[in-house]
Amino acid sequence: MNYPTTIKNLIECYKKLPGIGEKTAERYALATIELEEEIIELFSKSLKNIKTKIRRCNKCNNLSENELCDICCDSSRDSKMICVVEQPKNVILFEKVGSYNGKYHVLDGLISPLDGINPEQIKLNLLIKRIKEEKIKEVIIAVKPSIEGETTALYIKKLLEGLDITVSKIAHGVPIGAEMEYIDSLTLEMALEDRKTISNNT
Amino acid sequence: MNYPTTIKNLIECYKKLPGIGEKTAERYALATIELEEEIIELFSKSLKNIKTKIRRCNKCNNLSENELCDICCDSSRDSKMICVVEQPKNVILFEKVGSYNGKYHVLDGLISPLDGINPEQIKLNLLIKRIKEEKIKEVIIAVKPSIEGETTALYIKKLLEGLDITVSKIAHGVPIGAEMEYIDSLTLEMALEDRKTISNNT
């Protein structure tokens, strides 16, 4: 004896999500039975739509329901500035901050020779082409501070050498509110190196 | 700017599952986009079916796709023995063990005066009626060892007093493979009290 087929199938589906094992999938499937009817309907419909309605923006590679995403269509934003991120969800992160008013470009990951991911695979050529075509003035690289992130940043910098474009990288350092003793030494090293003069009495 | 509507809806749905917050729901929704088409289809279909196809067994209250669940229909099982559990998933747990060959009865929770859950709400009367009608010989109470579990067990015992029925409770004690120092004192007390004589030289 086991669960009825419908529940068994649901468990299998939940198990496909990242970090979900047998027990958690079982818990979610049983909890699903208790959900309100309209939530279940919305859930089922959204899943159906996700493959048909969701696509990548033709310009910036962000998730979109149209050929161009909302940000690319927004003429009130500074179109001479591009913030390069690794994943669509990073766009949302920066949007939540609210202080950035330029455009974005979403890569398909980061360069990682160890994993066999090269510049072509993350479509860096599309980014460079876009930068040249749209006469971008500043490219802000906002990828995570890791070997892959640094490699990707260096590569982009190199591809844009000789052009009249400012290439910058978001600051790395001690996060606000952090306890100093929990910060790793590489971050501290970077924070020291990128120190800001706040007073100069000479 | 935020996620496209379809993704936003999906995030809201994932958030309805137990223990899932904004960040995890977002992660699941974005991971869903990457799932294979047939998984998405199965997922969507199973969700649709869960409200229409899944019901409770008329006899034992277990989850079922038919009027009677597979276990109740199985004539090879001992029909004079009932194992009382709190939730449908506990039936699966015992079935995985494989050594129990009787029937089950699934309660709608446990008696909890503090939460205002009384015997009527967990449909104990249906269990008692079933025990009498089916001339059950042994009732094994397999609910969790907590105040609610003990209260429910005591209540069932009382309701069956005077009838020729053995009422038993699964053993509580130190689990196999456990490190003694991590066992709480209540469990140790129970383990001591329920000790088994393994040799008697008198």
PDB file of all heavy atoms in Angstrom, chain B residues 75-111:
ATOM      1  N   SER B  75      -8.582  -8.074   1.449  1.00  0.00           N
ATOM      2  CA  SER B  75      -9.160  -9.124   2.297  1.00  0.00           C
ATOM      3  C   SER B  75      -8.084 -10.034   2.889  1.00  0.00           C
ATOM      4  O   SER B  75      -8.364 -10.856   3.760  1.00  0.00           O
ATOM      5  CB  SER B  75     -10.160  -9.952   1.492  1.00  0.00           C
ATOM      6  OG  SER B  75      -9.491 -10.544   0.401  1.00  0.00           O
ATOM      7  N   SER B  76      -6.836  -9.888   2.422  1.00  0.00           N
ATOM      8  CA  SER B  76      -5.765 -10.735   2.974  1.00  0.00           C
ATOM      9  C   SER B  76      -5.279 -10.203   4.320  1.00  0.00           C
ATOM     10  O   SER B  76      -4.487 -10.839   5.008  1.00  0.00           O
ATOM     11  CB  SER B  76      -4.595 -10.805   1.990  1.00  0.00           C
ATOM     12  OG  SER B  76      -3.864  -9.602   2.027  1.00  0.00           O
ATOM     13  N   ARG B  77      -5.739  -9.015   4.689  1.00  0.00           N
ATOM     14  CA  ARG B  77      -5.281  -8.428   5.956  1.00  0.00           C
ATOM     15  C   ARG B  77      -6.208  -8.815   7.100  1.00  0.00           C
ATOM     16  O   ARG B  77      -7.399  -9.023   6.916  1.00  0.00           O
ATOM     17  CB  ARG B  77      -5.218  -6.910   5.836  1.00  0.00           C
ATOM     18  CG  ARG B  77      -4.270  -6.438   4.743  1.00  0.00           C
ATOM     19  CD  ARG B  77      -4.216  -4.930   4.698  1.00  0.00           C
ATOM     20  NE  ARG B  77      -3.406  -4.427   5.773  1.00  0.00           N
ATOM     21  CZ  ARG B  77      -2.265  -3.740   5.603  1.00  0.00           C
ATOM     22  NH1 ARG B  77      -1.808  -3.502   4.408  1.00  0.00           N
ATOM     23  NH2 ARG B  77      -1.591  -3.324   6.645  1.00  0.00           N
ATOM     24  N   ASP B  78      -5.647  -8.862   8.296  1.00  0.00           N
ATOM     25  CA  ASP B  78      -6.399  -9.202   9.497  1.00  0.00           C
ATOM     26  C   ASP B  78      -7.424  -8.102   9.798  1.00  0.00           C
ATOM     27  O   ASP B  78      -7.064  -6.995  10.172  1.00  0.00           O
ATOM     28  CB  ASP B  78      -5.422  -9.345  10.662  1.00  0.00           C
ATOM     29  CG  ASP B  78      -6.107  -9.822  11.935  1.00  0.00           C
ATOM     30  OD1 ASP B  78      -7.356  -9.806  11.975  1.00  0.00           O
ATOM     31  OD2 ASP B  78      -5.392 -10.220  12.876  1.00  0.00           O
ATOM     32  N   SER B  79      -8.692  -8.415   9.661  1.00  0.00           N
ATOM     33  CA  SER B  79      -9.721  -7.384   9.822  1.00  0.00           C
ATOM     34  C   SER B  79     -10.222  -7.274  11.255  1.00  0.00           C
ATOM     35  O   SER B  79     -11.175  -6.556  11.534  1.00  0.00           O
ATOM     36  CB  SER B  79     -10.884  -7.657   8.872  1.00  0.00           C
ATOM     37  OG  SER B  79     -11.472  -8.891   9.205  1.00  0.00           O
ATOM     38  N   LYS B  80      -9.591  -7.989  12.160  1.00  0.00           N
ATOM     39  CA  LYS B  80      -9.997  -7.915  13.573  1.00  0.00           C
ATOM     40  C   LYS B  80      -9.066  -7.022  14.391  1.00  0.00           C
ATOM     41  O   LYS B  80      -9.138  -6.957  15.612  1.00  0.00           O
ATOM     42  CB  LYS B  80     -10.029  -9.326  14.188  1.00  0.00           C
ATOM     43  CG  LYS B  80     -11.064 -10.249  13.568  1.00  0.00           C
ATOM     44  CD  LYS B  80     -12.476  -9.737  13.830  1.00  0.00           C
ATOM     45  CE  LYS B  80     -13.493 -10.369  12.883  1.00  0.00           C
ATOM     46  NZ  LYS B  80     -14.621  -9.462  12.606  1.00  0.00           N
ATOM     47  N   MET B  81      -8.132  -6.392  13.691  1.00  0.00           N
ATOM     48  CA  MET B  81      -7.104  -5.599  14.345  1.00  0.00           C
ATOM     49  C   MET B  81      -7.094  -4.207  13.724  1.00  0.00           C
ATOM     50  O   MET B  81      -7.065  -4.067  12.499  1.00  0.00           O
ATOM     51  CB  MET B  81      -5.762  -6.273  14.051  1.00  0.00           C
ATOM     52  CG  MET B  81      -4.741  -6.141  15.109  1.00  0.00           C
ATOM     53  SD  MET B  81      -3.341  -7.132  14.546  1.00  0.00           S
ATOM     54  CE  MET B  81      -2.510  -7.403  16.078  1.00  0.00           C
ATOM     55  N   ILE B  82      -7.125  -3.177  14.564  1.00  0.00           N
ATOM     56  CA  ILE B  82      -7.101  -1.804  14.045  1.00  0.00           C
ATOM     57  C   ILE B  82      -5.944  -1.044  14.674  1.00  0.00           C
ATOM     58  O   ILE B  82      -5.755  -1.082  15.892  1.00  0.00           O
ATOM     59  CB  ILE B  82      -8.428  -1.072  14.356  1.00  0.00           C
ATOM     60  CG1 ILE B  82      -9.522  -1.478  13.372  1.00  0.00           C
ATOM     61  CG2 ILE B  82      -8.229   0.448  14.283  1.00  0.00           C
ATOM     62  CD1 ILE B  82     -10.797  -0.678  13.558  1.00  0.00           C
ATOM     63  N   CYS B  83      -5.164  -0.383  13.847  1.00  0.00           N
ATOM     64  CA  CYS B  83      -4.099   0.482  14.334  1.00  0.00           C
ATOM     65  C   CYS B  83      -4.584   1.925  14.177  1.00  0.00           C
ATOM     66  O   CYS B  83      -4.868   2.368  13.068  1.00  0.00           O
ATOM     67  CB  CYS B  83      -2.828   0.237  13.517  1.00  0.00           C
ATOM     68  SG  CYS B  83      -1.461   1.287  13.989  1.00  0.00           S
ATOM     69  N   VAL B  84      -4.685   2.638  15.288  1.00  0.00           N
ATOM     70  CA  VAL B  84      -5.220   4.001  15.259  1.00  0.00           C
ATOM     71  C   VAL B  84      -4.076   5.006  15.129  1.00  0.00           C
ATOM     72  O   VAL B  84      -3.173   5.026  15.961  1.00  0.00           O
ATOM     73  CB  VAL B  84      -6.026   4.299  16.549  1.00  0.00           C
ATOM     74  CG1 VAL B  84      -6.553   5.726  16.534  1.00  0.00           C
ATOM     75  CG2 VAL B  84      -7.158   3.303  16.708  1.00  0.00           C
ATOM     76  N   VAL B  85      -4.098   5.810  14.064  1.00  0.00           N
ATOM     77  CA  VAL B  85      -3.045   6.804  13.858  1.00  0.00           C
ATOM     78  C   VAL B  85      -3.653   8.197  13.733  1.00  0.00           C
ATOM     79  O   VAL B  85      -4.862   8.346  13.586  1.00  0.00           O
ATOM     80  CB  VAL B  85      -2.204   6.495  12.593  1.00  0.00           C
ATOM     81  CG1 VAL B  85      -1.472   5.175  12.743  1.00  0.00           C
ATOM     82  CG2 VAL B  85      -3.068   6.503  11.354  1.00  0.00           C
ATOM     83  N   GLU B  86      -2.764   9.190  13.788  1.00  0.00           N
ATOM     84  CA  GLU B  86      -3.248  10.568  13.798  1.00  0.00           C
ATOM     85  C   GLU B  86      -3.470  11.099  12.395  1.00  0.00           C
ATOM     86  O   GLU B  86      -4.403  11.860  12.150  1.00  0.00           O
ATOM     87  CB  GLU B  86      -2.219  11.440  14.542  1.00  0.00           C
ATOM     88  CG  GLU B  86      -2.643  12.881  14.708  1.00  0.00           C
ATOM     89  CD  GLU B  86      -1.492  13.774  15.151  1.00  0.00           C
ATOM     90  OE1 GLU B  86      -0.450  13.231  15.564  1.00  0.00           O
ATOM     91  OE2 GLU B  86      -1.633  14.996  15.063  1.00  0.00           O
ATOM     92  N   GLN B  87      -2.586  10.755  11.463  1.00  0.00           N
ATOM     93  CA  GLN B  87      -2.631  11.343  10.132  1.00  0.00           C
ATOM     94  C   GLN B  87      -2.430  10.279   9.052  1.00  0.00           C
ATOM     95  O   GLN B  87      -1.779   9.282   9.295  1.00  0.00           O
ATOM     96  CB  GLN B  87      -1.500  12.352   9.966  1.00  0.00           C
ATOM     97  CG  GLN B  87      -1.547  13.543  10.867  1.00  0.00           C
ATOM     98  CD  GLN B  87      -0.248  14.310  10.781  1.00  0.00           C
ATOM     99  OE1 GLN B  87       0.332  14.457   9.709  1.00  0.00           O
ATOM    100  NE2 GLN B  87       0.247  14.761  11.905  1.00  0.00           N
ATOM    101  N   PRO B  88      -2.925  10.570   7.836  1.00  0.00           N
ATOM    102  CA  PRO B  88      -2.741   9.615   6.742  1.00  0.00           C
ATOM    103  C   PRO B  88      -1.283   9.229   6.533  1.00  0.00           C
ATOM    104  O   PRO B  88      -0.985   8.084   6.222  1.00  0.00           O
ATOM    105  CB  PRO B  88      -3.287  10.374   5.530  1.00  0.00           C
ATOM    106  CG  PRO B  88      -4.269  11.340   6.083  1.00  0.00           C
ATOM    107  CD  PRO B  88      -3.734  11.740   7.419  1.00  0.00           C
ATOM    108  N   LYS B  89      -0.356  10.188   6.725  1.00  0.00           N
ATOM    109  CA  LYS B  89       1.036   9.838   6.432  1.00  0.00           C
ATOM    110  C   LYS B  89       1.603   8.814   7.411  1.00  0.00           C
ATOM    111  O   LYS B  89       2.564   8.114   7.097  1.00  0.00           O
ATOM    112  CB  LYS B  89       1.918  11.078   6.339  1.00  0.00           C
ATOM    113  CG  LYS B  89       2.218  11.794   7.614  1.00  0.00           C
ATOM    114  CD  LYS B  89       3.265  12.876   7.317  1.00  0.00           C
ATOM    115  CE  LYS B  89       3.274  13.914   8.430  1.00  0.00           C
ATOM    116  NZ  LYS B  89       4.035  15.095   8.059  1.00  0.00           N
ATOM    117  N   ASN B  90       0.982   8.692   8.591  1.00  0.00           N
ATOM    118  CA  ASN B  90       1.443   7.684   9.533  1.00  0.00           C
ATOM    119  C   ASN B  90       1.110   6.271   9.050  1.00  0.00           C
ATOM    120  O   ASN B  90       1.822   5.319   9.362  1.00  0.00           O
ATOM    121  CB  ASN B  90       0.835   7.929  10.912  1.00  0.00           C
ATOM    122  CG  ASN B  90       1.262   9.272  11.485  1.00  0.00           C
ATOM    123  OD1 ASN B  90       2.198   9.884  10.991  1.00  0.00           O
ATOM    124  ND2 ASN B  90       0.571   9.737  12.507  1.00  0.00           N
ATOM    125  N   VAL B  91       0.010   6.157   8.303  1.00  0.00           N
ATOM    126  CA  VAL B  91      -0.327   4.856   7.711  1.00  0.00           C
ATOM    127  C   VAL B  91       0.825   4.410   6.811  1.00  0.00           C
ATOM    128  O   VAL B  91       1.291   3.271   6.879  1.00  0.00           O
ATOM    129  CB  VAL B  91      -1.636   4.951   6.890  1.00  0.00           C
ATOM    130  CG1 VAL B  91      -1.872   3.658   6.117  1.00  0.00           C
ATOM    131  CG2 VAL B  91      -2.815   5.269   7.797  1.00  0.00           C
ATOM    132  N   ILE B  92       1.297   5.344   5.981  1.00  0.00           N
ATOM    133  CA  ILE B  92       2.392   5.030   5.056  1.00  0.00           C
ATOM    134  C   ILE B  92       3.645   4.620   5.836  1.00  0.00           C
ATOM    135  O   ILE B  92       4.346   3.686   5.459  1.00  0.00           O
ATOM    136  CB  ILE B  92       2.704   6.252   4.160  1.00  0.00           C
ATOM    137  CG1 ILE B  92       1.430   6.776   3.488  1.00  0.00           C
ATOM    138  CG2 ILE B  92       3.776   5.912   3.131  1.00  0.00           C
ATOM    139  CD1 ILE B  92       0.849   5.887   2.447  1.00  0.00           C
ATOM    140  N   LEU B  93       3.901   5.322   6.934  1.00  0.00           N
ATOM    141  CA  LEU B  93       5.066   4.990   7.764  1.00  0.00           C
ATOM    142  C   LEU B  93       5.019   3.536   8.219  1.00  0.00           C
ATOM    143  O   LEU B  93       5.999   2.798   8.093  1.00  0.00           O
ATOM    144  CB  LEU B  93       5.111   5.885   9.003  1.00  0.00           C
ATOM    145  CG  LEU B  93       5.683   7.285   8.834  1.00  0.00           C
ATOM    146  CD1 LEU B  93       5.619   8.049  10.149  1.00  0.00           C
ATOM    147  CD2 LEU B  93       7.128   7.199   8.350  1.00  0.00           C
ATOM    148  N   PHE B  94       3.852   3.124   8.749  1.00  0.00           N
ATOM    149  CA  PHE B  94       3.727   1.740   9.225  1.00  0.00           C
ATOM    150  C   PHE B  94       3.760   0.755   8.065  1.00  0.00           C
ATOM    151  O   PHE B  94       4.295  -0.345   8.196  1.00  0.00           O
ATOM    152  CB  PHE B  94       2.451   1.573  10.052  1.00  0.00           C
ATOM    153  CG  PHE B  94       2.596   2.052  11.462  1.00  0.00           C
ATOM    154  CD1 PHE B  94       2.075   3.273  11.863  1.00  0.00           C
ATOM    155  CD2 PHE B  94       3.304   1.301  12.393  1.00  0.00           C
ATOM    156  CE1 PHE B  94       2.238   3.733  13.165  1.00  0.00           C
ATOM    157  CE2 PHE B  94       3.470   1.747  13.699  1.00  0.00           C
ATOM    158  CZ  PHE B  94       2.935   2.969  14.082  1.00  0.00           C
ATOM    159  N   GLU B  95       3.201   1.157   6.928  1.00  0.00           N
ATOM    160  CA  GLU B  95       3.214   0.272   5.767  1.00  0.00           C
ATOM    161  C   GLU B  95       4.634   0.042   5.276  1.00  0.00           C
ATOM    162  O   GLU B  95       4.962  -1.035   4.788  1.00  0.00           O
ATOM    163  CB  GLU B  95       2.343   0.854   4.645  1.00  0.00           C
ATOM    164  CG  GLU B  95       0.857   0.703   4.908  1.00  0.00           C
ATOM    165  CD  GLU B  95       0.468  -0.754   5.105  1.00  0.00           C
ATOM    166  OE1 GLU B  95       0.436  -1.492   4.119  1.00  0.00           O
ATOM    167  OE2 GLU B  95       0.223  -1.156   6.268  1.00  0.00           O
ATOM    168  N   LYS B  96       5.480   1.067   5.413  1.00  0.00           N
ATOM    169  CA  LYS B  96       6.875   0.925   4.985  1.00  0.00           C
ATOM    170  C   LYS B  96       7.604  -0.087   5.866  1.00  0.00           C
ATOM    171  O   LYS B  96       8.494  -0.781   5.405  1.00  0.00           O
ATOM    172  CB  LYS B  96       7.578   2.284   5.022  1.00  0.00           C
ATOM    173  CG  LYS B  96       7.354   3.086   3.744  1.00  0.00           C
ATOM    174  CD  LYS B  96       8.071   4.418   3.784  1.00  0.00           C
ATOM    175  CE  LYS B  96       7.716   5.248   2.545  1.00  0.00           C
ATOM    176  NZ  LYS B  96       7.932   6.685   2.783  1.00  0.00           N
ATOM    177  N   VAL B  97       7.246  -0.132   7.155  1.00  0.00           N
ATOM    178  CA  VAL B  97       7.834  -1.114   8.067  1.00  0.00           C
ATOM    179  C   VAL B  97       7.478  -2.513   7.573  1.00  0.00           C
ATOM    180  O   VAL B  97       8.318  -3.404   7.532  1.00  0.00           O
ATOM    181  CB  VAL B  97       7.299  -0.899   9.505  1.00  0.00           C
ATOM    182  CG1 VAL B  97       7.817  -1.981  10.428  1.00  0.00           C
ATOM    183  CG2 VAL B  97       7.675   0.482  10.013  1.00  0.00           C
ATOM    184  N   GLY B  98       6.235  -2.696   7.204  1.00  0.00           N
ATOM    185  CA  GLY B  98       5.830  -3.936   6.546  1.00  0.00           C
ATOM    186  C   GLY B  98       5.427  -5.069   7.465  1.00  0.00           C
ATOM    187  O   GLY B  98       4.925  -6.083   6.992  1.00  0.00           O
ATOM    188  N   SER B  99       5.624  -4.918   8.789  1.00  0.00           N
ATOM    189  CA  SER B  99       5.336  -6.061   9.660  1.00  0.00           C
ATOM    190  C   SER B  99       3.889  -6.082  10.172  1.00  0.00           C
ATOM    191  O   SER B  99       3.441  -7.083  10.729  1.00  0.00           O
ATOM    192  CB  SER B  99       6.294  -6.050  10.861  1.00  0.00           C
ATOM    193  OG  SER B  99       6.105  -4.865  11.608  1.00  0.00           O
ATOM    194  N   TYR B 100       3.151  -5.022   9.963  1.00  0.00           N
ATOM    195  CA  TYR B 100       1.783  -4.956  10.455  1.00  0.00           C
ATOM    196  C   TYR B 100       0.818  -5.393   9.360  1.00  0.00           C
ATOM    197  O   TYR B 100       0.900  -4.927   8.228  1.00  0.00           O
ATOM    198  CB  TYR B 100       1.451  -3.533  10.914  1.00  0.00           C
ATOM    199  CG  TYR B 100       0.031  -3.368  11.393  1.00  0.00           C
ATOM    200  CD1 TYR B 100      -0.395  -3.965  12.576  1.00  0.00           C
ATOM    201  CD2 TYR B 100      -0.889  -2.631  10.658  1.00  0.00           C
ATOM    202  CE1 TYR B 100      -1.695  -3.821  13.019  1.00  0.00           C
ATOM    203  CE2 TYR B 100      -2.196  -2.479  11.092  1.00  0.00           C
ATOM    204  CZ  TYR B 100      -2.594  -3.079  12.277  1.00  0.00           C
ATOM    205  OH  TYR B 100      -3.888  -2.947  12.714  1.00  0.00           O
ATOM    206  N   ASN B 101      -0.078  -6.278   9.712  1.00  0.00           N
ATOM    207  CA  ASN B 101      -0.965  -6.819   8.678  1.00  0.00           C
ATOM    208  C   ASN B 101      -2.446  -6.616   9.005  1.00  0.00           C
ATOM    209  O   ASN B 101      -3.306  -7.302   8.460  1.00  0.00           O
ATOM    210  CB  ASN B 101      -0.659  -8.302   8.460  1.00  0.00           C
ATOM    211  CG  ASN B 101      -1.260  -8.805   7.168  1.00  0.00           C
ATOM    212  OD1 ASN B 101      -1.285  -8.066   6.184  1.00  0.00           O
ATOM    213  ND2 ASN B 101      -1.776 -10.030   7.177  1.00  0.00           N
ATOM    214  N   GLY B 102      -2.740  -5.701   9.923  1.00  0.00           N
ATOM    215  CA  GLY B 102      -4.139  -5.442  10.245  1.00  0.00           C
ATOM    216  C   GLY B 102      -4.667  -4.250   9.460  1.00  0.00           C
ATOM    217  O   GLY B 102      -4.118  -3.886   8.425  1.00  0.00           O
ATOM    218  N   LYS B 103      -5.757  -3.676   9.950  1.00  0.00           N
ATOM    219  CA  LYS B 103      -6.331  -2.499   9.306  1.00  0.00           C
ATOM    220  C   LYS B 103      -5.903  -1.235  10.060  1.00  0.00           C
ATOM    221  O   LYS B 103      -5.240  -1.323  11.094  1.00  0.00           O
ATOM    222  CB  LYS B 103      -7.870  -2.622   9.311  1.00  0.00           C
ATOM    223  CG  LYS B 103      -8.381  -3.922   8.695  1.00  0.00           C
ATOM    224  CD  LYS B 103      -8.447  -3.826   7.194  1.00  0.00           C
ATOM    225  CE  LYS B 103      -8.835  -5.169   6.577  1.00  0.00           C
ATOM    226  NZ  LYS B 103      -9.575  -5.042   5.341  1.00  0.00           N
ATOM    227  N   TYR B 104      -6.328  -0.085   9.557  1.00  0.00           N
ATOM    228  CA  TYR B 104      -5.977   1.181  10.202  1.00  0.00           C
ATOM    229  C   TYR B 104      -7.230   1.998  10.481  1.00  0.00           C
ATOM    230  O   TYR B 104      -8.302   1.728   9.930  1.00  0.00           O
ATOM    231  CB  TYR B 104      -5.080   2.023   9.291  1.00  0.00           C
ATOM    232  CG  TYR B 104      -3.696   1.463   9.120  1.00  0.00           C
ATOM    233  CD1 TYR B 104      -3.401   0.621   8.052  1.00  0.00           C
ATOM    234  CD2 TYR B 104      -2.681   1.790  10.014  1.00  0.00           C
ATOM    235  CE1 TYR B 104      -2.124   0.108   7.888  1.00  0.00           C
ATOM    236  CE2 TYR B 104      -1.406   1.282   9.841  1.00  0.00           C
ATOM    237  CZ  TYR B 104      -1.129   0.443   8.787  1.00  0.00           C
ATOM    238  OH  TYR B 104       0.130  -0.056   8.623  1.00  0.00           O
ATOM    239  N   HIS B 105      -7.067   3.007  11.315  1.00  0.00           N
ATOM    240  CA  HIS B 105      -8.081   4.034  11.431  1.00  0.00           C
ATOM    241  C   HIS B 105      -7.377   5.368  11.616  1.00  0.00           C
ATOM    242  O   HIS B 105      -6.547   5.521  12.502  1.00  0.00           O
ATOM    243  CB  HIS B 105      -9.035   3.761  12.604  1.00  0.00           C
ATOM    244  CG  HIS B 105     -10.281   4.581  12.533  1.00  0.00           C
ATOM    245  ND1 HIS B 105     -11.416   4.158  11.870  1.00  0.00           N
ATOM    246  CD2 HIS B 105     -10.562   5.811  12.985  1.00  0.00           C
ATOM    247  CE1 HIS B 105     -12.345   5.089  11.942  1.00  0.00           C
ATOM    248  NE2 HIS B 105     -11.853   6.107  12.606  1.00  0.00           N
ATOM    249  N   VAL B 106      -7.691   6.321  10.742  1.00  0.00           N
ATOM    250  CA  VAL B 106      -7.036   7.626  10.789  1.00  0.00           C
ATOM    251  C   VAL B 106      -7.943   8.630  11.499  1.00  0.00           C
ATOM    252  O   VAL B 106      -9.069   8.871  11.071  1.00  0.00           O
ATOM    253  CB  VAL B 106      -6.728   8.136   9.365  1.00  0.00           C
ATOM    254  CG1 VAL B 106      -6.051   9.505   9.429  1.00  0.00           C
ATOM    255  CG2 VAL B 106      -5.849   7.143   8.616  1.00  0.00           C
ATOM    256  N   LEU B 107      -7.438   9.190  12.603  1.00  0.00           N
ATOM    257  CA  LEU B 107      -8.204  10.217  13.321  1.00  0.00           C
ATOM    258  C   LEU B 107      -8.039  11.556  12.608  1.00  0.00           C
ATOM    259  O   LEU B 107      -7.148  11.728  11.782  1.00  0.00           O
ATOM    260  CB  LEU B 107      -7.684  10.343  14.761  1.00  0.00           C
ATOM    261  CG  LEU B 107      -7.834   9.099  15.648  1.00  0.00           C
ATOM    262  CD1 LEU B 107      -7.193   9.358  17.004  1.00  0.00           C
ATOM    263  CD2 LEU B 107      -9.306   8.732  15.812  1.00  0.00           C
ATOM    264  N   ASP B 108      -8.892  12.499  12.934  1.00  0.00           N
ATOM    265  CA  ASP B 108      -8.735  13.855  12.390  1.00  0.00           C
ATOM    266  C   ASP B 108      -7.957  14.706  13.370  1.00  0.00           C
ATOM    267  O   ASP B 108      -8.365  15.813  13.717  1.00  0.00           O
ATOM    268  CB  ASP B 108     -10.117  14.475  12.133  1.00  0.00           C
ATOM    269  CG  ASP B 108     -10.654  14.093  10.760  1.00  0.00           C
ATOM    270  OD1 ASP B 108      -9.864  13.614   9.938  1.00  0.00           O
ATOM    271  OD2 ASP B 108     -11.863  14.271  10.527  1.00  0.00           O
ATOM    272  N   GLY B 109      -6.832  14.207  13.859  1.00  0.00           N
ATOM    273  CA  GLY B 109      -6.036  14.931  14.840  1.00  0.00           C
ATOM    274  C   GLY B 109      -6.077  14.238  16.190  1.00  0.00           C
ATOM    275  O   GLY B 109      -6.469  13.075  16.290  1.00  0.00           O
ATOM    276  N   LEU B 110      -5.666  14.955  17.224  1.00  0.00           N
ATOM    277  CA  LEU B 110      -5.651  14.410  18.581  1.00  0.00           C
ATOM    278  C   LEU B 110      -6.461  15.324  19.496  1.00  0.00           C
ATOM    279  O   LEU B 110      -6.602  16.506  19.223  1.00  0.00           O
ATOM    280  CB  LEU B 110      -4.216  14.308  19.096  1.00  0.00           C
ATOM    281  CG  LEU B 110      -3.284  13.368  18.325  1.00  0.00           C
ATOM    282  CD1 LEU B 110      -1.867  13.480  18.869  1.00  0.00           C
ATOM    283  CD2 LEU B 110      -3.769  11.924  18.401  1.00  0.00           C
ATOM    284  N   ILE B 111      -6.989  14.764  20.588  1.00  0.00           N
ATOM    285  CA  ILE B 111      -7.726  15.578  21.559  1.00  0.00           C
ATOM    286  C   ILE B 111      -6.767  16.590  22.180  1.00  0.00           C
ATOM    287  O   ILE B 111      -5.668  16.223  22.593  1.00  0.00           O
ATOM    288  CB  ILE B 111      -8.320  14.691  22.679  1.00  0.00           C
ATOM    289  CG1 ILE B 111      -9.287  13.667  22.072  1.00  0.00           C
ATOM    290  CG2 ILE B 111      -9.022  15.545  23.733  1.00  0.00           C
ATOM    291  CD1 ILE B 111      -9.810  12.657  23.097  1.00  0.00           C
TER     292      ILE B 111
END
